[in-house]
Amino acid sequence: ERFTKIDDENRVKETEVLEVGYKDLGFDVVRIQLEIVEKDSESCMVRSTIEYEGDDKLADVVSHVNVRPLEMMAEIIGKHLCQNKSTL
């Protein structure tokens, strides 16, 4: 991965996949954007977006491109932070 955008003020990070994973499926470009949206002083949500470019022949593979791995990672991190809140 390579970070293509880091905006700490707006809490946005964007990466471009350089090799393996989605690239192995045949996509030319895969960008993943994460945005942290504050709900209140105690909680937030993560808005994730995947943008991809490739040939029309990849139509059958597109269903495999999703944000589920990012969602699972955010849930695990959230649980860890809540459990260790008193030590932060």
Side-chain angles (χ1 to χ4, degrees):
E1 289 185 322
R2 168 182 54 165
F3 282 96
T4 55
K5 179 178 184 179
I6 299 175
D7 183 345
D8 291 329
E9 184 175 326
N10 293 310
R11 299 179 178 147
V12 175
K13 306 275 191 250
E14 184 178 283
T15 63
E16 189 171 303
V17 177
L18 299 176
E19 56 188 7
V20 301
Y22 295 126
K23 295 287 276 194
D24 286 346
L25 294 174
F27 292 98
D28 297 325
V29 176
V30 178
R31 287 184 200 89
I32 300 171
Q33 184 180 70
L34 301 174
E35 178 182 2
I36 308 299
V37 180
E38 186 175 345
K39 292 170 69 175
D40 56 41
S41 63
E42 294 288 321
S43 64
C44 66
M45 66 179 186
V46 179
R47 182 177 296 136
S48 54
T49 306
I50 297 179
E51 179 182 308
Y52 53 87
E53 297 174 11
D55 293 339
D56 291 337
K57 65 182 179 184
L58 295 171
D60 294 337
V61 180
V62 169
S63 64
H64 297 287
V65 178
N66 61 62
V67 296
R68 183 65 185 139
L70 300 173
E71 182 182 333
M72 290 170 37
M73 184 174 53
E75 289 173 7
I76 291 167
I77 292 169
K79 286 178 185 176
H80 174 76
L81 292 173
C82 288
Q83 290 171 352
N84 296 296
K85 185 176 179 181
S86 63
T87 61
L88 297 177

